[in-house]
Structure formats: structure tokens, C-alpha cells
Amino acid sequence: MAGPTTDDATRPQDAMFLSTVLQSAPVPLWVIDEDGLVALANDAALRFLGHRQGTDLRGGASHDLLHRHRPDGSPYPTHECPIIHAKQPLASSEWFVTRAGDVRPVQWSTRPVPGTGSVLLSFASLGPLPAGPGGGRRALVPPRATREETRARLLRQMQQAITARFTDPSFSPATLADDAHLSVRSVQAIFAEVGTSPAAEIRLHRLEHARVLLAQGQSVQWACHASGFQDVGSFARAYRQHFGFAPSRTRGA
């Protein structure tokens, strides 16, 4: 009977070598199997997430281990996670949650592992690395923000997004929530704390912009569409309700 071929004999050693390389790589690497479970988490990934070196996370729910809740503390459903469902190369930013509960902004990318149904995830901190003793660099360990600080920061970011995008007719509270990696309900709750809503803020920006355009002599139809409204009738009703008179009166003033 013939003995094992050279390829058969070296395959276990090759697999062991590859596993050792992945485990000791300086970049956080994380393999998610087709069931959404952790198949590998290297030492750099463990350190990043606050786990002790040598901790075996295999078989754990990948989504929960990476970000079991959103930055504001609200639940983060698995079905809304872009990473867990990645079937093709993707790259984006997210929030990961350490074992201690600290929220850390990250840049991540995914690559399918051919023939396995698994996905290789790599990630890195978006925060700067502060100088350590002697001028070197040390690992970033950010202070834990309070719930109020986190929600205030999210509110500022979403207000900036509204200012930048309100003229887009397709921009809505749902779009705002998607961009912030939050649920629509969470976004509404954050705005409610300051006595408003995302829909009201978007509408207010559009109405104020339309008033400026009308005062400059633009037509009602032009001001309507240039401000993000989709039809003149809805625009006119919202304008009259907010300002107390029709858009044409502003144009004729």
C-alpha cells in the first residue's frame, strides 16, 4: 500500500503553521463561521476587547461578543448587524464593546474564507494612540463615557447629519438611524430628551431653507424641491402651519 503523498503529509503542518501565524498576528483577526459563531479570535483581538490572552471564545455568539449593545446602551439586534451577514468583502466603521462594557469606535473589514462559509473579520481602533512613558505609544484604553455624555454626543452628530443632508428628498429619520447604527426608536428617544423629534428637525431645516429661497425670489415649486420636499401641496401645508401664511406671501414680500 502506498504511503501518504508529500501534499498529504505536509497538510497538517501547513495548517498548524497558518493557525500560529493568525494567532500571533499584530492585527486583530476574528473568524465567524456560517452559523454566526466565533471560529477563531487571535491574541490581538482578545487584547482589544479586554479578554485575557489564551481565552477561548470559539463557539460563542460573534455578534454578542463584539457589540452586544449600541453606544447608547440600547439593544443591538443581530439581524441589524452588517458584519454577521457579510457574504462579500465589506469595510465600514462600527462600535465594539469590550468585556468591561466600554464602547470603542473601530474601522473593520470582512473577507469571505473560500470554501468554508466563514468570514474573516479584521478591525482596528479609530481613536488616536496617546503617548506612553518615554514617548512611546501605548494601547488606547478610553475612559467610559456616561450614558448622558454618549447620548449628547450622538445627538450632536445626528444634528450635524441633518444640517448636511436635509435637502435630499430621500433623507428621513430611518436614514438618520441607519447612518448612526441606531434603531429609529432609539433616535426618537434621544431627540425627545430635548423636546423634539428627528422628523420635526428635518422638516424645520427644510422650511427655513425654503423661506430663504422664496425671499430671494425663487418660485414656490423651486423652493419646495430645492429644500427636500417631494410635492408642492405637502410643502405649502407645512409652510402655512409653521409660519402662519402661504409660501407665496414670502415670495411677494
Side-chain angles (χ1 to χ4, degrees), residues 104-105 124-131 137-143:
R104 302 186 66 178
S125 174
L126 281 177
L129 294 178
R137 312 302 285 177
R138 60 181 174 83
L140 178 66
V141 183

Side-chain angles (χ1 to χ4, degrees), residues 136-221:
R137 312 302 285 177
R138 60 181 174 83
L140 178 66
V141 183
R144 183 183 301 183
T146 65
R147 179 180 181 276
E148 290 74 18
E149 291 171 339
T150 298
R151 293 174 79 85
R153 174 180 50 73
L154 289 170
L155 177 63
R156 288 194 301 271
Q157 291 175 345
M158 289 189 288
Q159 288 172 330
Q160 291 169 356
I162 291 173
T163 300
R165 300 184 58 188
F166 71 87
T167 57
D168 178 358
S170 66
F171 184 67
S172 67
T175 310
L176 183 65
D178 286 342
D179 290 347
H181 303 297
L182 297 170
S183 66
V184 173
R185 180 176 296 181
S186 294
V187 171
Q188 291 171 336
I190 291 173
F191 276 88
E193 291 176 358
V194 293
T196 185
S197 71
E201 287 299 302
I202 294 171
R203 184 170 57 252
L204 178 60
H205 276 70
R206 288 172 174 167
L207 289 170
E208 292 290 354
H209 186 60
R211 183 175 66 170
V212 171
L213 294 177
L214 290 167
Q216 292 173 349
Q218 300 293 344
S219 69
V220 172
Q221 185 173 2

Side-chain angles (χ1 to χ4, degrees), residues 6-250:
T6 301
D7 288 343
D8 290 334
T10 58
R11 189 172 295 123
Q13 289 89 336
D14 290 344
M16 184 177 299
F17 174 74
L18 180 59
S19 177
T20 301
V21 170
L22 291 174
Q23 196 65 42
S24 59
V27 177
L29 298 175
W30 189 276
V31 178
I32 307 169
D33 70 16
E34 57 188 353
D35 296 319
L37 305 179
V38 178
L40 179 146
N42 74 350
D43 290 339
L46 293 176
R47 289 193 299 270
F48 187 96
L49 295 171
H51 296 278
R52 293 182 180 178
Q53 185 173 348
T55 300
D56 189 356
L57 298 180
R58 287 177 298 176
S62 177
H63 176 75
D64 292 342
L65 287 167
L66 291 175
H67 35 207
R68 55 192 178 273
H69 60 74
R70 298 185 187 276
D72 67 345
S74 63
Y76 190 174
T78 302
H79 70 268
E80 294 182 8
C81 176
I83 294 174
I84 204 70
H85 302 292
K87 301 302 181 185
Q88 58 186 352
L90 292 176
S92 187
S93 57
E94 260 283 0
W95 296 89
F96 285 179
V97 181
T98 68
R99 183 173 179 271
D102 297 315
V103 175
R104 302 186 66 178
V106 299
Q107 185 74 34
W108 59 264
S109 63
T110 60
R111 292 289 184 277
V113 181
T116 67
S118 298
V119 172
L120 173 64
L121 167 71
S122 62
F123 51 90
S125 174
L126 281 177
L129 294 178
R137 312 302 285 177
R138 60 181 174 83
L140 178 66
V141 183
R144 183 183 301 183
T146 65
R147 179 180 181 276
E148 290 74 18
E149 291 171 339
T150 298
R151 293 174 79 85
R153 174 180 50 73
L154 289 170
L155 177 63
R156 288 194 301 271
Q157 291 175 345
M158 289 189 288
Q159 288 172 330
Q160 291 169 356
I162 291 173
T163 300
R165 300 184 58 188
F166 71 87
T167 57
D168 178 358
S170 66
F171 184 67
S172 67
T175 310
L176 183 65
D178 286 342
D179 290 347
H181 303 297
L182 297 170
S183 66
V184 173
R185 180 176 296 181
S186 294
V187 171
Q188 291 171 336
I190 291 173
F191 276 88
E193 291 176 358
V194 293
T196 185
S197 71
E201 287 299 302
I202 294 171
R203 184 170 57 252
L204 178 60
H205 276 70
R206 288 172 174 167
L207 289 170
E208 292 290 354
H209 186 60
R211 183 175 66 170
V212 171
L213 294 177
L214 290 167
Q216 292 173 349
Q218 300 293 344
S219 69
V220 172
Q221 185 173 2
W222 174 271
C224 165
H225 295 298
S227 300
F229 288 95
Q230 295 187 345
D231 67 89
V232 176
S234 297
F235 164 62
R237 287 191 295 273
Y239 196 95
R240 182 185 294 274
Q241 182 178 10
H242 183 72
F243 292 112
F245 46 82
S248 56
R249 178 176 169 182
T250 301

